């Protein structure tokens, strides 16, 4: 997953959040439903939590935001931060040993050991409780509870993430488009033409043919297969049944489009072996016309480009049409990662944990954990929240305390600290356009043991063959023979059967 970066709230979103915050505080004062998790006269509840933290420098319990959260929620928090590189191994070891904190974070429910433990009753079913914690389920957060149900019940507390604006999708140098009097491409065909113009017509104006039209690797071009198949993920619905897109004719067409672009010199020469970090480095060099990034990179990467070229302007494409005129844009689940509470935790503590998460997902708690303390870590100026120098010292923003409860805003995906208002407002318009094009992802929420066991290796074989075709080491005829063999693979057949059983089970409810 692409590393999410800090961002700011623009005026419209900030104003609405501040209004909600005022209402929340008013309700709290009047004893209404905006209750703080600190209700109750007992001493602080000790709660141990483990969660993912993307920050480079991680805070400890001396953080003023950490201590303020404890004060407001009447808790004593023992938080263990996991890094992106260690989380999978550490979670697997923890699940296998059964030595778990009060609150366990996992990135994905697609884990055989976890699914087994849930069915064995190792974790609390919080379905009967969540109705008492409205901040967990209101507004944009309602759908994430449906998406994370297991056999109709809620065993997890999902962590919010906006559905639109994240994920790798084509982002182009708008200043290069303007320099060549080109329109923003809206289809794969027009994207090809634009990238070809980037290669041939000197958009950076230095008189040299040094431009790389599009920095990419085989894996970063995965959206092309989705565009041709008119679906997201690895599966599509066909006559009411799930089929893997790796064996579809539409994927062959996508492969040929990518090969055509490679043969035309639209990708770097080392396309086949580039890593994401190398793609980013190339893009930041100022000699690349586009790449696949989430929308917040308009400024996360864009500000670095402006140090090289003050005119640099990154533009995320709202959508791309396939040859059938189908408009594709990426979207995802309305959450990223989930929390579980082991059954060893007593029921009264479960409710206290839910109070903590209810507060963290309230407007007041959301602002505290993301922005910090008013007049210390941020100020309000013209309806906006503006971070102070102290905010930098105390490591507010994305990561750290906001890792516990994500900011309830599209800004998780489309904003960034310091982003100019004009770029932010344009991002809002683009994400609103993306929201008009909801592309299905029929596999979302499905679990199959055979899929976990066999599909990654099968897909890797297909990906390797695709790369060989793209760079000319294999012919498309050899690819066709290979796909026919894959279709008969007994492990893939088992995966397809299990995935369809899981899909039909969800449709029956």
């Amino acid at each position: 997953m692409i590393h999410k970066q800090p961002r700011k709230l623009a005026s419209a979103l900030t104003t609405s959040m501040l209004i909600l915050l005022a209402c929340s505080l008013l309700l709290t004062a009047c004893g209404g439903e905006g209750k703080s998790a600190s209700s109750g006269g007992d001493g602080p509840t000790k709660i141990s939590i483990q969660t993912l933290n993307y920050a480079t420098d991680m805070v400890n319990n001396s953080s003023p935001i950490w201590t303020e959260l404890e004060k407001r929620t009447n808790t004593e928090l023992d938080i263990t931060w996991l890094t992106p590189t260690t989380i999978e191994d550490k979670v697997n070891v923890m699940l296998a040993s059964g030595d778990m904190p009060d609150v366990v974070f996992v990135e994905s429910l697609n884990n055989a050991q976890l699914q087994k433990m849930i069915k064995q009753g190792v974790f609390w079913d919080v379905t009967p409780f969540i109705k008492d914690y409205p901040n967990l389920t209101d507004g944009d957060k309602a759908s994430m509870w449906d998406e994370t149900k297991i056999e109709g019940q809620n065993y997890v507390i999902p962590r919010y993430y906006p559905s639109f604006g994240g994920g790798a999708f084509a982002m182009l140098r708008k200043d290069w488009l303007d320099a060549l009097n080109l329109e923003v491409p809206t289809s794969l065909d027009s994207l090809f033409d634009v990238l070809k113009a980037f290669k041939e017509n000197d958009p950076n104006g230095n008189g040299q043919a040094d431009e790389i039209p599009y920095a990419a690797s085989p894996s970063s071009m995965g959206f092309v297969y989705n565009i041709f198949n008119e679906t997201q993920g690895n599966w599509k619905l066909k006559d009411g049944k799930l089929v893997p897109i790796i064996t579809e004719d539409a994927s062959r067409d996508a492969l040929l489009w990518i090969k055509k672009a490679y043969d035309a010199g639209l990708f770097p020469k080392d396309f086949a072996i580039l890593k994401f970090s190398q793609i980013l480095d190339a893009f930041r060099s100022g000699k690349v016309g586009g790449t696949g990034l989430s929308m917040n990179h308009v400024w996360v990467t864009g500000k670095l480009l402006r140090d090289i070229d003050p005119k640099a302007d990154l533009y995320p494409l709202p959508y791309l049409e396939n040859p059938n005129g189908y408009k594709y844009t990426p979207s995802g689940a309305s959450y990223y990662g989930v929390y579980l509470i082991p059954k060893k935790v007593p029921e009264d503590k479960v409710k206290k944990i839910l109070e903590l998460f209810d507060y963290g997902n309230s407007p007041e708690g959301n602002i505290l954990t993301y922005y910090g303390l008013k007049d210390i870590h941020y100020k309000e100026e013209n309806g906006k929240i503006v971070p102070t120098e102290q905010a930098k010292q105390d490591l507010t923003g994305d990561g750290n305390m906001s890792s516990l409860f994500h900011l309830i805003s599209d800004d998780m995906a489309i904003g960034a600290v310091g982003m100019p208002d004009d770029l932010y407002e344009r991002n809002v318009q683009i994400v609103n356009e993306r929201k008009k094009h909801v592309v299905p992802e029929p596999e979302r929420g499905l679990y199959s043991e055979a899929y976990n066991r066999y599909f990654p290796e099968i897909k890797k074989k297909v990906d390797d063959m695709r790369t060989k075709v793209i760079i000319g080491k294999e012919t498309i005829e050899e690819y066709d023979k290979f796909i026919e063999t894959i279709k008969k693979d007994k492990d893939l057949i088992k995966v397809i059967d299990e995935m369809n059983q899981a899909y039909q089970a969800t449709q029956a409810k």
Side-chain angles (χ1 to χ4, degrees):
M1 170 176 181
I2 293 177
H3 183 176
K4 304 181 291 299
Q5 301 287 339
R7 80 287 301 165
K8 72 178 177 67
L9 285 178
S11 55
L13 284 171
T14 307
T15 302
S16 63
M17 182 167 272
L18 292 174
I19 292 171
L20 286 169
L21 173 56
C23 294
S24 173
L25 293 171
L26 181 61
L27 284 168
T28 302
C30 298
E33 290 208 326
K35 65 183 180 181
S36 163
S38 60
S39 57
D42 298 332
T45 302
K46 294 183 179 181
I47 300 174
S48 57
I49 305 173
Q50 149 268 53
T51 193
L52 175 63
N53 189 346
Y54 272 97
T56 303
D57 299 317
M58 299 187 183
V59 300
N60 56 34
N61 59 7
S62 66
S63 160
I65 301 170
W66 186 318
T67 55
E68 183 65 20
L69 178 62
E70 290 178 323
K71 177 183 174 183
R72 294 188 189 182
T73 59
N74 196 26
T75 58
E76 183 179 324
L77 302 177
D78 178 8
I79 305 172
T80 299
W81 301 122
L82 300 179
T83 69
T85 55
T86 63
I87 183 169
E88 184 175 359
D89 289 341
K90 288 193 174 183
V91 167
N92 286 338
V93 169
M94 180 189 61
L95 293 177
S97 69
D99 183 15
M100 296 178 285
D102 299 325
V103 184
V104 177
F105 178 86
V106 297
E107 285 189 279
S108 172
L109 287 169
N110 241 349
N111 180 302
Q113 179 66 23
L114 179 65
Q115 290 283 335
K116 181 180 179 181
M117 293 171 74
I118 290 172
K119 291 176 182 177
Q120 290 174 339
V122 174
F123 299 102
W124 275 93
D125 176 2
V126 297
T127 311
F129 306 128
I130 55 177
K131 66 182 184 301
D132 297 324
Y133 306 95
N135 290 314
L136 281 177
T137 57
D138 64 355
D140 290 343
K141 290 164 281 186
S143 60
M144 68 186 188
W145 289 90
D146 287 331
E147 291 180 10
T148 53
K149 282 183 177 179
I150 298 171
E151 296 182 352
Q153 301 300 108
N154 291 112
Y155 292 94
V156 305
I157 306 169
R159 189 179 64 167
Y160 172 83
Y161 191 74
S163 295
F164 288 85
F169 196 53
M171 180 178 290
L172 302 181
R173 288 282 298 266
K174 179 70 163 56
D175 53 308
W176 285 19
L177 291 171
D178 294 342
L180 301 180
N181 294 314
L182 297 171
E183 296 292 327
V184 172
T186 58
S187 67
L188 283 169
D189 286 342
S190 58
L191 175 63
F192 182 92
D193 293 340
V194 160
L195 297 182
K196 194 167 184 290
F198 282 177
K199 177 177 175 60
E200 297 172 350
N201 298 329
D202 192 27
N204 65 13
N206 68 356
Q208 302 176 41
D210 58 351
E211 293 90 349
I212 298 172
Y214 196 87
S217 65
S219 61
S220 71
M221 296 303 293
F223 67 88
V224 177
Y225 297 93
N226 290 129
I227 293 174
F228 273 91
N229 282 283
E230 302 176 7
T231 192
Q232 297 195 94
N234 293 312
W235 299 79
K236 68 192 288 187
L237 273 178
K238 207 171 182 181
D239 300 325
K241 293 185 178 181
L242 287 179
V243 296
I245 66 171
I246 54 174
T247 56
E248 286 293 287
D249 290 343
S251 293
R252 184 184 191 274
D253 295 336
L255 173 61
L256 290 175
W257 187 94
I258 297 171
K259 178 172 175 53
K260 177 185 173 185
Y262 178 83
D263 290 344
L266 307 186
F267 302 139
K269 292 179 181 178
D270 47 359
F271 167 83
I273 58 172
L274 279 183
K275 298 177 181 178
F276 177 68
S277 60
Q278 294 170 311
I279 291 172
L280 265 185
D281 288 343
F283 197 43
R284 290 167 178 163
S285 73
K287 294 184 178 181
V288 175
T291 193
L293 293 169
S294 56
M295 289 181 63
N296 56 2
H297 280 271
V298 160
W299 192 241
V300 170
T301 295
K303 67 181 177 182
L304 300 176
L305 277 174
R306 288 194 179 185
D307 292 338
I308 300 170
D309 181 353
K311 301 188 299 297
D313 182 12
L314 301 186
Y315 189 90
L317 299 189
Y319 59 83
L320 283 170
E321 292 182 7
N322 67 13
N324 297 327
Y326 185 91
K327 293 179 179 179
Y328 174 92
T329 193
S331 60
S334 56
Y335 69 97
Y336 172 50
V338 298
Y339 293 99
L340 300 97
I341 306 174
K343 255 304 183 51
K344 68 176 184 180
V345 177
E347 183 173 330
D348 59 345
K349 194 171 186 178
V350 171
K351 293 179 179 178
K352 189 65 181 178
I353 291 168
L354 289 170
E355 283 186 20
L356 169 67
F357 278 81
D358 188 69
Y359 177 76
N361 282 274
S362 72
E364 179 185 336
N366 227 215
I367 286 180
L368 170 67
T369 53
Y370 190 85
Y371 291 103
L373 297 162
K374 185 180 178 183
D375 296 326
I376 296 176
H377 298 110
Y378 70 89
K379 296 183 181 297
E380 295 171 23
E381 297 178 3
N382 299 319
K384 299 176 186 176
I385 292 179
V386 181
T388 65
E389 285 299 314
Q390 190 64 39
K392 297 178 183 177
Q393 295 181 33
D394 290 334
L395 304 174
T396 66
D398 196 29
N400 284 314
M401 298 309 294
S402 68
S403 297
L404 292 171
F405 331 102
H406 277 168
L407 187 67
I408 313 300
S409 166
D410 281 347
D411 278 26
M412 283 296 300
I414 71 171
V417 170
M419 182 183 286
D421 288 347
D422 61 329
L423 298 185
Y424 180 85
E425 294 302 332
R426 190 176 70 186
N427 261 7
V428 170
Q429 294 174 6
I430 291 171
V431 83
N432 286 337
E433 176 64 30
R434 288 190 179 188
K435 289 177 180 179
K436 297 176 184 177
H437 312 292
V438 181
V439 180
E441 187 181 355
E443 74 214 61
R444 187 180 296 166
L446 301 184
Y447 174 76
S448 158
E449 189 171 336
Y451 177 89
N452 285 352
R453 181 179 300 175
Y454 303 120
F455 193 79
E457 183 60 30
I458 294 170
K459 187 173 185 301
K460 184 180 183 303
K461 291 178 182 177
V462 174
D463 288 341
D464 289 346
M465 173 57 86
R466 286 172 173 173
T467 300
K468 290 175 182 177
V469 172
I470 292 166
I471 65 176
K473 286 191 174 181
E474 292 284 1
T475 66
I476 193 66
E477 290 76 20
E478 287 300 316
Y479 169 85
D480 291 337
K481 294 176 184 176
F482 173 78
I483 291 299
E484 287 305 312
T485 301
I486 288 290
K487 287 179 180 179
K488 299 171 185 175
D489 187 291
K490 59 180 177 53
D491 291 335
L492 180 59
I493 292 170
K494 184 171 184 176
V495 170
I496 294 170
D497 287 343
E498 277 198 16
M499 287 294 289
N500 274 282
Q501 289 171 20
Y503 177 76
Q504 293 303 326
T506 61
Q507 298 304 299
K509 292 175 182 177

